[in-house]
Amino acid sequence: MALERTFSIIKPDATRRNLTGKINAKFEEAGLRIIAQKRIQMTKAQAGTFYAVHAERPFYDELCTFMSSAPVVVQVLEGEGAIAKNREIMGATNPADAAPGTIRAEFAESVGENSVHGSDAPETAAEEIAYFFAGLELVG
Ligand code: DAT
Ligand code: MG
């Protein structure tokens, strides 16, 4: 399996509850390396661009309001098969369906406020990393 990079967000529901360290521990224990990380607060327009793929979904406005409601931690995770591995560590979108031990099973509050984002494919990972980070900020 190849060394990959994926993009991750620790969402407002998690930063509000001071869960950044506990979530990062899950990534590191699973062998993912945090090679870039910063705390930012997005505007609603910036969240809207990030989630443009969901623009036609009924929850889009609520999603963009939530994602801009408080600080988030944006990060790049590196490791063998990092994209799929991170999706496993995160668990299913709806915490009610998330496997025991996953971040969403342990921490998510609802399907909308579900603690973490993770890229779903190599193309989206590259686009999402480039939206938030300059190349020089990735220190692998
Ligand atoms: P994921 O974050 O697991 O990749 P997704 O890409 O389908 O899930 O959706 C992006 C985000 O949109 C998700 O993390 C939370 C929100 N969302 C998805 N489905 C939703 C729903 N049925 N109701 C409210 N928010 C939802
Ligand atoms: Mg997604």
Side-chain angles (χ1 to χ4, degrees), residues 84-129:
K85 184 179 277 188
N86 183 40
R87 296 292 310 192
E88 260 183 61
I89 300 164
M90 291 165 59
T93 307
N94 186 339
D97 303 327
T102 60
I103 291 170
R104 284 166 164 170
E106 287 192 15
F107 302 126
E109 300 196 298
S110 65
V111 64
E113 307 207 357
N114 59 5
S115 303
V116 281
H117 165 83
S119 307
D120 58 12
E123 301 71 32
T124 48
E127 279 171 27
E128 291 172 1
I129 290 168

Side-chain angles (χ1 to χ4, degrees), residues 9 40-52 60 63-65 67-68 72 131-132:
I9 304 179
I40 62 168
Q41 184 159 0
M42 281 187 266
T43 63
K44 191 172 176 183
Q46 288 166 338
T49 300
F50 176 71
Y51 275 122
Y60 180 66
L63 175 63
C64 298
T65 298
M67 289 299 288
S68 57
V72 297
Y131 187 56
F132 289 98

Side-chain angles (χ1 to χ4, degrees), residues 16-67:
R16 274 199 199 101
R17 289 176 289 148
N18 232 14
L19 292 171
T20 299
K22 284 188 174 152
I23 290 172
N24 279 346
K26 296 260 194 206
F27 297 142
E28 293 187 337
E29 282 161 11
L32 294 177
R33 188 174 296 277
I34 301 163
I35 64 160
Q37 174 167 260
K38 59 191 173 189
R39 182 172 165 102
I40 62 168
Q41 184 159 0
M42 281 187 266
T43 63
K44 191 172 176 183
Q46 288 166 338
T49 300
F50 176 71
Y51 275 122
V53 67
H54 295 305
E56 303 308 319
R57 308 285 285 278
F59 54 80
Y60 180 66
D61 188 71
E62 182 192 345
L63 175 63
C64 298
T65 298
F66 166 62
M67 289 299 288

